[in-house]
Each structure stands twice: as C-alpha cells, then as structure tokens.
Amino acid sequence: MKKKYNWGIIGLGGIAEKFAEGLQVLPEARLFAVASRTQQKANDFAKHHHVPHAYGSYAEMLENKDIDIIYIATPHTFHCKNTLMCLEAGFHVLCEKPFAVNSSEVKKMIAKSREKKKLLIEAMWTAFLPSVKRIKEVINEGLIGKVEFIRADLGFRADNDPKKRWFNPDLGGGSLLDVGIYPAYLAVEILGRPDAIKALASTGHTGVDENCGFVSQYKEGEIASLYSSIIAKTAIDAMITGKKGSIHIHSNFFMPSGVSLVFDNNIRDITPEYFGNGYNYEAAEAMECLEKGLTESHSMNHEKSILLMETLDRIRNECGISYPEHDSKV
C-alpha cells in the first residue's frame, strides 16, 4: 500500500471530529487539509488535529492537488452539491451518509464519478464494520437457517433546537434520513429490495418526521420491522431471525458492538475484534480501493447505495415526508 494517503475533510462538525480520530489509527492515512465556511473554524479544527492546511472555503481547498481523497461531512442537503464539486475538480470522495436526499441525486453523483473515473463511496460506516462481515458469514453458512424476520430500531432524544440539523428541514432533518437509515441499511444488506413497504411518521412543529415506523416485505415472505426517532430513546439493537436461530446485534447495533448467536435458550457470543473508533474501517477500505484503482467499494457499492436511497424514497412517499428544494428537481 502507498506509504501515505493525504485526506481532506469538508465540513467540520461532530462527525468530522470522529472521522479525524479514526484516521489516527491508520498508519497509511494522513489528515492533510480541512475546510469550513469560516477560516476560524478551520484553523481551530486544524490546530486540534495537527492538520497542516486549513481553508475558509471549500473551493480554496480544492486548489490543493496534493490531496488524494476528500471526506464530505456537511449536512445532508449539501452532500450532492459538495460531492459533484469535488468529483468535478478531480478528487476521489468518501461522502457521509445519507449519500444524498433522494435517489435522483445519488444517481447524479454516481454518474459523475464514472465520468471522471474517480472513487466514490457512501460513508455508511456500519457497512464496513467487522460485525457486519461476521453476521453475513453466519447467514451464508446457514447457521440460523433462512432469514425470516428482522427487527431493528434507532431512537434517541435530540437537542430540541429548531436551528440544529435534526429539526431543520432545510438541512435534511428528521429521524428517517439521520438515523432511520441504519435500520433500513440492515434490511437492505440482509434481504435486498423490498417488494412492499408500509410506513407511518409523526411530524413535529418544524415539519420534520420525529418518529418513523416502517415494515417491509420481501419476495419470499420475509418481513423487516424497523423504527427511528429523534424524540424517544429506544433499545437501539437488532435481531435477525431465521428458521433455526437468531443473530442478536447488541446496542448500539450500528456501531462496533456485541453480536450473539441465539438458539432457543442457548446464547453464544460471536463478537469480532475491533480497533479504533469504527470510522477507521470505512477510511481503510477507501484507501484499499484507491490502491486497487477501483471506483466503488465492495462493502458499500453504488448499486447498494442506490437501493438504500430508493428504499428511503419509498418510505418518505408512504409517510408524506418531503424536501421540496430537492424532491421538486426529481
């Protein structure tokens, strides 16, 4: 592998802090440049993480051609615009989930990456974790039999400030895109494209979905029952049930967490080993893809990103959740 890959980060909020920490455990990674909408914020982030280059605008950072790949950590509604900008400038991109606001935007991003022959990966960090690889191995080995049912939830009590992204529709706020994407991803990863979806959501005073419940049915009768919330704390675990047994992904299931095989009253721990804070796995796969000259990853390929966003589109359509500035352009 190349001795060092120079990373840039666009958008310097909390998720960027975690990603920067994740890079620290990867000897082949170097956080080389960061960009914010203000120079002061970029300077503060760069000082804290010992980054040599800090920029007060995204466009300015894109002039630095020593950067190998850019991680985009801006709010949801800017993902498509920022990704297209970076790809057009000739950079590889790892873009935070959700990839965009709808599947039309996702397809535009993928088309641009193929046109420019640049790597583009959705940073759905769960997809790259050792726990997901272990779960898929167990299912493929037939240890729990044919999967019949998936249950997963992710709910927390967000800071009820209408200016913050969770409750701000202009920033893609609401439970579904922010955290409901994790249960939805798990169902897509294990069961694929749903044949039918039924969904309900409760809308708060800012117009975003605060609770969202959705049930999916698949071609052989499998069911996934999924839930997200930004106003209620849930167990945040998942159960994948087959004809012979179940896989329990402990709380918090979307992060590095425990995994158990459950057969009647017999429980066996199958938790894999982890290192780092979890964000390192997506960065490591991105660099491996660069080393191999790939334009998409195996763990979260373009087809899977499209399917996931199409599934979220269907859920939003069922619930009447819309982002007019984006959906009107579909």
Side-chain angles (χ1 to χ4, degrees), residues 39-93:
Q39 188 65 54
Q40 187 59 54
K41 188 168 185 178
N43 290 343
D44 292 344
F45 192 101
K47 181 179 179 180
H48 180 69
H49 293 282
H50 309 290
V51 184
H53 303 282
Y55 301 97
S57 77
Y58 306 156
E60 188 180 1
M61 191 180 85
L62 299 185
E63 296 297 319
N64 189 334
K65 300 306 179 183
D66 290 327
I67 298 168
D68 294 302
I69 182 169
I70 294 174
Y71 172 67
I72 294 174
T74 52
H76 309 336
T77 47
F78 296 99
H79 286 179
C80 180
K81 176 183 177 181
N82 295 155
T83 295
L84 293 175
M85 175 179 66
C86 292
L87 291 170
E88 191 65 49
F91 293 97
H92 304 287
V93 173

Side-chain angles (χ1 to χ4, degrees), residues 135-144 147 190 240 247:
I135 289 161
K136 291 169 69 175
E137 288 171 359
V138 168
I139 293 172
N140 291 337
E141 290 169 10
L143 294 181
I144 65 168
V147 173
I190 303 304
I240 303 167
I247 301 169

Side-chain angles (χ1 to χ4, degrees), residues 20 22 24 31 57 68-69 88 94 136 144 180 186 207 245 259 267 280 283 298 308-309 322 327:
Q24 292 175 8
L31 184 48
S57 77
D68 294 302
I69 182 169
E88 191 65 49
L94 175 66
K136 291 169 69 175
I144 65 168
L186 185 65
V259 184
I267 300 174
N280 46 293
H298 173 72
L308 177 57
M309 189 52 68
S322 66
D327 297 334

Side-chain angles (χ1 to χ4, degrees), residues 91-295:
F91 293 97
H92 304 287
V93 173
L94 175 66
C95 179
E96 190 50 58
K97 64 82 197 164
F99 222 4
V101 172
N102 56 48
S103 57
S104 177
E105 291 186 343
V106 169
K107 291 171 184 176
K108 288 179 184 177
M109 294 155 64
I110 291 170
K112 180 60 70 174
S113 77
R114 291 173 178 171
E115 174 195 331
K116 295 295 184 179
K117 297 180 173 59
K118 295 298 177 182
L119 177 68
L120 175 63
I121 304 176
E122 180 176 7
M124 170 56 70
W125 71 317
T126 307
F128 306 91
L129 295 176
S131 52
V132 170
K133 292 179 173 60
R134 178 66 54 84
I135 289 161
K136 291 169 69 175
E137 288 171 359
V138 168
I139 293 172
N140 291 337
E141 290 169 10
L143 294 181
I144 65 168
K146 177 181 173 293
V147 173
E148 296 289 354
F149 182 71
I150 294 177
R151 175 196 57 76
D153 65 85
L154 204 170
F156 73 108
R157 289 184 287 271
D159 182 4
N160 194 359
D161 181 345
K163 294 180 181 179
K164 293 190 175 179
R165 65 182 178 87
W166 297 297
F167 294 96
N168 187 339
D170 293 334
L171 298 180
S175 76
L176 181 63
L177 288 189
D178 200 64
V179 294
I181 191 172
Y182 290 110
Y185 157 75
L186 185 65
V188 163
E189 183 65 66
I190 303 304
L191 295 175
R193 183 181 299 276
D195 279 9
I197 294 176
K198 297 295 182 182
L200 291 169
S202 57
T203 303
H205 68 282
T206 65
V208 304
D209 64 291
E210 296 182 343
N211 288 308
C212 188
F214 38 108
V215 178
S216 304
Q217 186 178 45
Y218 300 81
K219 62 182 179 181
E220 295 183 6
E222 307 96 324
I223 297 287
S225 178
L226 313 166
Y227 171 73
S228 62
S229 179
I230 54 172
I231 60 172
K233 175 72 168 67
T234 68
I236 315 182
D237 69 343
M239 188 72 79
I240 303 167
T241 301
K243 289 183 177 296
K244 298 178 183 178
S246 299
I247 301 169
H248 181 209
I249 315 173
H250 305 183
S251 183
N252 294 327
F253 80 87
F254 65 101
M255 300 170 63
S257 54
V259 184
S260 298
L261 265 178
V262 183
F263 300 102
D264 296 326
N265 294 323
N266 181 18
I267 300 174
R268 178 157 61 94
D269 179 46
I270 58 167
T271 304
E273 292 185 4
Y274 301 100
F275 77 100
N277 66 357
Y279 291 87
N280 46 293
Y281 292 104
E282 61 189 14
E285 180 148 340
M287 291 185 290
E288 184 178 344
C289 289
L290 290 179
E291 191 71 11
K292 294 177 178 178
L294 303 178
T295 56

